[in-house]
Each structure stands twice: as structure tokens, then as C-alpha cells.
Amino acid sequence: MSGGPMNDGAGRGLRAVALGGGHGLHATLTALRLLGDVVDEITAVVTVADDGGSSGRLRRELGSLPPGDLRMALCALAAPLREPGAGAADPADLPDDLWVRVVQHRFGGTGALAGHAVGNLVLAGLMDVLGDAVAALDEMGRLLGARGRVLPMTCDPLTIEAQVTGLDDDPAVVRLIRGQVAVASTPGRVRRVWLRPDRPTPCQEALDAVRDADVVLLGPGSWFTSVLPHLLVPGLGEALVSTAARRVVVLNLAPQPGETAGFSPEQHLDVLSQHAPALRVDAVLADQAAVPVPDRLRRAARTMLVPDGTVHLAPVAADDPAAPRHDPAALASALRSVLVRPRRAAAGAGERRT
């Protein structure tokens, strides 16, 4: 059942939960922080299937959760905000900025530490000492002065597996590939993904956050490896379907080389529906320049929108020729249009609140 009330500018602000991983989640969390007059509480729920780079090495050597995406989410909630058009940050923010820079710092060279981010090592150490991933994240959040909470979607390190076509001369041949890096970089076409173990225990604090939220944001991010996995964790997927929160899907700016190469905005929604057919959302937010045929996207969204759900198009891309990425300030402005609406009358018993 959907439809926690939109913020009307009075009373407490919204409790927001953002799900994803990597740079997409970082942009969403920064955007939510820029909505401080609307959003009171921010919780990030992060994927834990990374098996590459520093995170993959620590995971293999220590058996711990891969810390990289968790570290990035913490830094998004801790870095001093630069308001659009504002001058220098308040000096009181400088210590936070130093710690964020240290935590994000990556060692160079060719030795054993080469490629490791300082924050990955600190998080891995905290998890090892405390024996509790959630406690470790809370402690590191306190160290950084994070304005919100970061939680893993499960405390079990996960492996992503996928059915992929297009890897053989016969395009109909289906191959199994394993691992987040392999899925994200495949030259084939990803058809379906699932998790191993297939029934991981969801993080209880993440379940509580989703159930208690006023708004839940899914995406942007690597679609098959950062966004969809949340819907595949038993308990968490059901919480996302049943929460009374408003659910907003934020689409990517462009297909991602590898896992979503050649995907249209509509295909991103199609695979979301295929993996979570019961999911209904209140809004789909997309960059207007990334949607060549808006009516086509609106038609594709109908199957997953609640009765008065909307497709919202807005300029949310950063002016970055190097790579497509969301501009947090522009994303915040677009989210404000979606979230700040006149409060409607409460729905009666048994009615769908929209």
C-alpha cells in the first residue's frame, strides 16, 4: 500500500530512505541533504555484492562486507555541502572535510596497500573489532559527523549471478556469469540477475527504516548490480512493496557500458518490473534530455505507477563531458517538485493512499 503523505511545509520533515550504491547513491544522498527544509532524516541502504578493487580484496581476505559503497555513502552524508551559488564553506565544517578527504584517500604505489581506500581499511577494521557491521557503520558515521545513517541491505556478503545472451555466435545461447564486476562489464546482454546465497538475511535496521519511511528512493545507479539487488533480498523486497512510503524511481542518465548497453529508459523500467512485478511506485524521475520520447516512457511506467502516479522530467544532469552523472543540486530541485505537494485527505480504511 502506497501513499505516505507528501510534505506540506508544516510539522516534521520527511524520513527518506535511499537505496543503491556507488556514485548514483552518493548523488541522491547529497541531493536529500540539500533538501534540509523538507527532509529531516536520511538513511542509505547499500548493496553489498562488490567483488572488485579494494573492496573485493578485503572481502576475499577477511570475509567481511565489501566496504567501498558503504564508505562512499558515509562520505556523502558527511561532506560539507556547497549550496548552489554560495561562497566558501563555514570554517566549522573544515574538520569534517579533512576526515572525508582522508577516508576517501586511496593509496598509490605498488605495495600491499596500493589501491586501498583509507576508509575501506577503517571500516573493515571496525567490523572486525566490533563484530557487527551496523555498529561499525554507526561508529564511523559518528567519526565523520554524518548527517544520516548508512546501513547494508544485508550483513551477508553477496554474489550476483546473471543470465546473459550475446556471448556466443548463436545469440540465443544463455550463459551464466558470476560476480558484480563480471555482470557490470559483460559485453553480452543481461537478461536476469539473482543473488547467492539466494535467501540472505536482511538487515533488520534497513527493514525498519523502509517500513517507517515517508519516501523511498530507488536509483540511480548500476541497474542490475546496485539497484535491482535490493528487491531480491527476501524481506527487504517485500518491505519495499508493502511500505506506506512514497516510492520514487530515479532513472539513469544513460545506458551503462556493459550491463545496460543499448537500454532505453523504458527498458530500465521493464527489467525493474520483471524482477519485482508487485512493486508499485508513486513517481518516476528522469532527466528530460535522456528521454527522447516522453510519451513512450509514460506508457512504460503505467504498469508500475499507482493510480495517480507521475512521470517527472527535469534537467538533472551535471555539465560533465567526461561521464554522465547527476548534479545533486539539480536533482534536489527535481525531487522537491516531486515531494513537496499539498497534503491530501487521509485515505479511508482499505483505500490506496496516493
Side-chain angles (χ1 to χ4, degrees):
M1 183 168 178
S2 178
M6 290 294 188
N7 184 279
D8 63 357
R12 70 163 179 81
L14 299 173
R15 291 169 297 201
V17 176
L19 301 99
H23 295 285
L25 181 59
H26 191 286
T28 303
L29 295 173
T30 305
L32 288 172
R33 288 184 60 201
L34 289 169
L35 294 172
D37 60 319
V38 177
V39 176
D40 267 358
E41 299 177 21
I42 304 173
T43 302
V45 180
V46 185
T47 52
V48 288
D50 194 2
D51 59 355
S54 169
S55 289
R57 288 161 61 190
L58 291 170
R59 173 181 175 168
R60 288 187 293 273
E61 292 173 18
L62 303 176
S64 62
L65 291 179
D69 285 348
L70 297 163
R71 180 200 84 244
M72 285 188 65
L74 283 166
C75 289
L77 291 175
L81 288 178
R82 303 297 195 266
E83 299 284 350
D90 188 291
D93 279 334
L94 292 180
D96 284 354
D97 185 52
L98 172 62
W99 274 111
V100 169
R101 287 187 286 117
V102 169
V103 165
Q104 293 284 58
H105 176 72
R106 201 173 289 273
F107 291 108
T110 58
L113 291 177
H116 277 304
V118 172
N120 287 359
L121 299 173
V122 174
L123 257 181
L126 280 169
M127 287 188 279
D128 207 27
V129 170
L130 298 177
D132 183 330
V134 173
L137 287 162
D138 287 343
E139 191 60 39
M140 190 160 175
R142 281 189 286 273
L143 171 69
L144 292 173
R147 285 79 162 180
R149 197 178 193 193
V150 174
L151 298 167
M153 64 181 186
T154 170
C155 292
D156 303 321
L158 298 178
T159 298
I160 295 176
E161 295 183 347
Q163 288 180 339
V164 179
T165 57
L167 297 177
D168 297 84
D169 292 336
D170 181 353
V173 173
V174 178
R175 294 288 182 184
L176 170 68
I177 60 175
R178 181 178 291 108
Q180 178 170 311
V181 172
V183 175
S185 60
T186 180
R189 190 173 186 84
V190 180
R191 299 296 179 178
R192 187 172 73 89
V193 294
W194 58 91
L195 303 175
R196 291 286 183 262
D198 59 355
R199 297 196 63 80
T201 301
C203 171
Q204 184 60 51
E205 291 84 353
L207 291 181
D208 294 340
V210 169
R211 290 167 179 159
D212 294 340
D214 297 303
V215 59
V216 170
L217 303 174
L218 192 61
S222 299
W223 214 243
F224 284 103
T225 54
S226 289
V227 177
L228 290 180
H230 294 280
L231 297 160
L232 304 179
V233 175
L236 182 57
E238 287 80 358
L240 288 166
V241 168
S242 64
T243 179
R246 295 275 176 156
R247 289 170 290 245
V248 181
V249 171
V250 183
L251 289 178
N252 290 345
L253 298 172
Q256 184 174 344
E259 63 181 87
T260 56
F263 270 43
S264 67
E266 300 78 37
Q267 285 173 300
H268 283 77
L269 290 184
D270 287 344
V271 297
L272 195 61
S273 291
Q274 290 165 16
H275 286 79
L279 180 68
R280 297 294 177 265
V281 302
D282 297 86
V284 174
L285 174 60
D287 180 68
Q288 60 188 27
V291 182
V293 187
D295 284 344
R296 187 182 299 161
L297 179 62
R298 292 187 181 99
R299 287 194 297 271
R302 282 177 194 159
T303 59
M304 66 186 318
L305 285 172
V306 298
D308 70 341
T310 61
V311 173
H312 187 79
L313 303 181
V316 295
D319 184 16
D320 184 355
R325 62 182 181 86
H326 286 78
D327 177 74
L331 183 57
S333 178
L335 286 172
R336 182 182 297 277
S337 299
V338 173
L339 301 180
V340 182
R341 295 166 126 184
R343 190 179 298 274
R344 290 186 285 268
E351 293 178 5
R352 180 186 295 275
R353 292 182 295 158
T354 59

